[in-house]
PDB file of all heavy atoms in Angstrom:
ATOM      1  N   GLY A 161     -23.973  24.887  -3.879  1.00  0.00           N
ATOM      2  CA  GLY A 161     -25.149  24.905  -4.648  1.00  0.00           C
ATOM      3  C   GLY A 161     -26.058  23.780  -4.183  1.00  0.00           C
ATOM      4  O   GLY A 161     -25.764  23.059  -3.259  1.00  0.00           O
ATOM      5  N   ASN A 162     -27.191  23.698  -4.913  1.00  0.00           N
ATOM      6  CA  ASN A 162     -28.191  22.596  -4.622  1.00  0.00           C
ATOM      7  C   ASN A 162     -29.142  22.395  -5.789  1.00  0.00           C
ATOM      8  O   ASN A 162     -29.925  23.250  -6.051  1.00  0.00           O
ATOM      9  CB  ASN A 162     -28.926  22.953  -3.304  1.00  0.00           C
ATOM     10  CG  ASN A 162     -29.770  21.837  -2.801  1.00  0.00           C
ATOM     11  OD1 ASN A 162     -30.109  20.890  -3.520  1.00  0.00           O
ATOM     12  ND2 ASN A 162     -30.105  21.836  -1.547  1.00  0.00           N
ATOM     13  N   PRO A 163     -28.893  21.339  -6.592  1.00  0.00           N
ATOM     14  CA  PRO A 163     -27.950  20.272  -6.325  1.00  0.00           C
ATOM     15  C   PRO A 163     -26.525  20.543  -6.854  1.00  0.00           C
ATOM     16  O   PRO A 163     -26.377  21.607  -7.513  1.00  0.00           O
ATOM     17  CB  PRO A 163     -28.598  19.202  -7.239  1.00  0.00           C
ATOM     18  CG  PRO A 163     -29.205  19.943  -8.327  1.00  0.00           C
ATOM     19  CD  PRO A 163     -29.645  21.183  -7.748  1.00  0.00           C
ATOM     20  N   VAL A 164     -25.603  19.830  -6.396  1.00  0.00           N
ATOM     21  CA  VAL A 164     -24.202  19.937  -6.799  1.00  0.00           C
ATOM     22  C   VAL A 164     -23.693  18.573  -7.478  1.00  0.00           C
ATOM     23  O   VAL A 164     -22.615  18.542  -8.005  1.00  0.00           O
ATOM     24  CB  VAL A 164     -23.222  20.525  -5.936  1.00  0.00           C
ATOM     25  CG1 VAL A 164     -23.330  21.919  -5.648  1.00  0.00           C
ATOM     26  CG2 VAL A 164     -23.315  19.691  -4.605  1.00  0.00           C
ATOM     27  N   GLU A 165     -24.506  17.592  -7.252  1.00  0.00           N
ATOM     28  CA  GLU A 165     -24.001  16.217  -7.659  1.00  0.00           C
ATOM     29  C   GLU A 165     -23.583  16.118  -9.038  1.00  0.00           C
ATOM     30  O   GLU A 165     -22.758  15.323  -9.447  1.00  0.00           O
ATOM     31  CB  GLU A 165     -25.110  15.164  -7.335  1.00  0.00           C
ATOM     32  CG  GLU A 165     -25.360  14.953  -5.942  1.00  0.00           C
ATOM     33  CD  GLU A 165     -26.551  15.846  -5.494  1.00  0.00           C
ATOM     34  OE1 GLU A 165     -26.623  17.072  -5.960  1.00  0.00           O
ATOM     35  OE2 GLU A 165     -27.452  15.439  -4.789  1.00  0.00           O
ATOM     36  N   HIS A 166     -24.361  16.881 -10.016  1.00  0.00           N
ATOM     37  CA  HIS A 166     -24.035  16.717 -11.426  1.00  0.00           C
ATOM     38  C   HIS A 166     -23.073  17.698 -11.995  1.00  0.00           C
ATOM     39  O   HIS A 166     -22.803  17.678 -13.108  1.00  0.00           O
ATOM     40  CB  HIS A 166     -25.414  16.966 -12.180  1.00  0.00           C
ATOM     41  CG  HIS A 166     -26.418  15.933 -11.834  1.00  0.00           C
ATOM     42  ND1 HIS A 166     -27.488  16.237 -10.950  1.00  0.00           N
ATOM     43  CD2 HIS A 166     -26.516  14.603 -12.012  1.00  0.00           C
ATOM     44  CE1 HIS A 166     -28.163  15.167 -10.609  1.00  0.00           C
ATOM     45  NE2 HIS A 166     -27.631  14.145 -11.288  1.00  0.00           N
ATOM     46  N   SER A 167     -22.539  18.551 -11.106  1.00  0.00           N
ATOM     47  CA  SER A 167     -21.573  19.499 -11.529  1.00  0.00           C
ATOM     48  C   SER A 167     -20.291  18.907 -12.108  1.00  0.00           C
ATOM     49  O   SER A 167     -19.731  17.972 -11.521  1.00  0.00           O
ATOM     50  CB  SER A 167     -21.170  20.480 -10.347  1.00  0.00           C
ATOM     51  OG  SER A 167     -20.118  21.334 -10.780  1.00  0.00           O
ATOM     52  N   ILE A 168     -19.788  19.453 -13.197  1.00  0.00           N
ATOM     53  CA  ILE A 168     -18.584  18.911 -13.856  1.00  0.00           C
ATOM     54  C   ILE A 168     -17.400  19.910 -13.464  1.00  0.00           C
ATOM     55  O   ILE A 168     -16.272  19.649 -13.833  1.00  0.00           O
ATOM     56  CB  ILE A 168     -18.630  18.689 -15.340  1.00  0.00           C
ATOM     57  CG1 ILE A 168     -19.438  19.786 -16.047  1.00  0.00           C
ATOM     58  CG2 ILE A 168     -19.171  17.360 -15.604  1.00  0.00           C
ATOM     59  CD1 ILE A 168     -19.499  19.437 -17.547  1.00  0.00           C
ATOM     60  N   SER A 169     -17.755  20.954 -12.643  1.00  0.00           N
ATOM     61  CA  SER A 169     -16.708  21.936 -12.251  1.00  0.00           C
ATOM     62  C   SER A 169     -15.529  21.240 -11.391  1.00  0.00           C
ATOM     63  O   SER A 169     -14.426  21.660 -11.712  1.00  0.00           O
ATOM     64  CB  SER A 169     -17.262  23.076 -11.502  1.00  0.00           C
ATOM     65  OG  SER A 169     -18.091  23.764 -12.313  1.00  0.00           O
ATOM     66  N   PRO A 170     -15.873  20.340 -10.518  1.00  0.00           N
ATOM     67  CA  PRO A 170     -14.723  19.753  -9.788  1.00  0.00           C
ATOM     68  C   PRO A 170     -13.718  19.081 -10.726  1.00  0.00           C
ATOM     69  O   PRO A 170     -12.485  19.217 -10.603  1.00  0.00           O
ATOM     70  CB  PRO A 170     -15.401  18.647  -8.954  1.00  0.00           C
ATOM     71  CG  PRO A 170     -16.766  19.129  -8.632  1.00  0.00           C
ATOM     72  CD  PRO A 170     -17.125  19.880  -9.947  1.00  0.00           C
ATOM     73  N   GLN A 171     -14.207  18.395 -11.846  1.00  0.00           N
ATOM     74  CA  GLN A 171     -13.278  17.765 -12.813  1.00  0.00           C
ATOM     75  C   GLN A 171     -12.387  18.782 -13.500  1.00  0.00           C
ATOM     76  O   GLN A 171     -11.231  18.616 -13.648  1.00  0.00           O
ATOM     77  CB  GLN A 171     -14.019  16.958 -13.774  1.00  0.00           C
ATOM     78  CG  GLN A 171     -14.701  15.713 -13.176  1.00  0.00           C
ATOM     79  CD  GLN A 171     -15.893  15.241 -14.049  1.00  0.00           C
ATOM     80  OE1 GLN A 171     -15.691  15.017 -15.242  1.00  0.00           O
ATOM     81  NE2 GLN A 171     -16.955  14.967 -13.402  1.00  0.00           N
ATOM     82  N   LEU A 172     -13.175  19.898 -13.931  1.00  0.00           N
ATOM     83  CA  LEU A 172     -12.534  20.943 -14.645  1.00  0.00           C
ATOM     84  C   LEU A 172     -11.412  21.589 -13.813  1.00  0.00           C
ATOM     85  O   LEU A 172     -10.254  21.701 -14.145  1.00  0.00           O
ATOM     86  CB  LEU A 172     -13.484  21.968 -15.182  1.00  0.00           C
ATOM     87  CG  LEU A 172     -12.843  23.252 -15.786  1.00  0.00           C
ATOM     88  CD1 LEU A 172     -12.163  22.922 -17.067  1.00  0.00           C
ATOM     89  CD2 LEU A 172     -14.029  24.233 -16.121  1.00  0.00           C
ATOM     90  N   HIS A 173     -11.776  21.968 -12.620  1.00  0.00           N
ATOM     91  CA  HIS A 173     -10.801  22.738 -11.670  1.00  0.00           C
ATOM     92  C   HIS A 173      -9.621  21.939 -11.251  1.00  0.00           C
ATOM     93  O   HIS A 173      -8.501  22.390 -11.177  1.00  0.00           O
ATOM     94  CB  HIS A 173     -11.511  23.480 -10.565  1.00  0.00           C
ATOM     95  CG  HIS A 173     -12.261  24.654 -11.063  1.00  0.00           C
ATOM     96  ND1 HIS A 173     -11.726  25.807 -11.357  1.00  0.00           N
ATOM     97  CD2 HIS A 173     -13.668  24.739 -11.355  1.00  0.00           C
ATOM     98  CE1 HIS A 173     -12.675  26.627 -11.883  1.00  0.00           C
ATOM     99  NE2 HIS A 173     -13.835  26.044 -11.850  1.00  0.00           N
TER     100      HIS A 173
END
Side-chain angles (χ1 to χ4, degrees):
N162 191 333
V164 285
E165 294 91 321
H166 301 102
S167 172
I168 42 184
S169 294
Q171 293 158 47
L172 174 63
H173 287 284

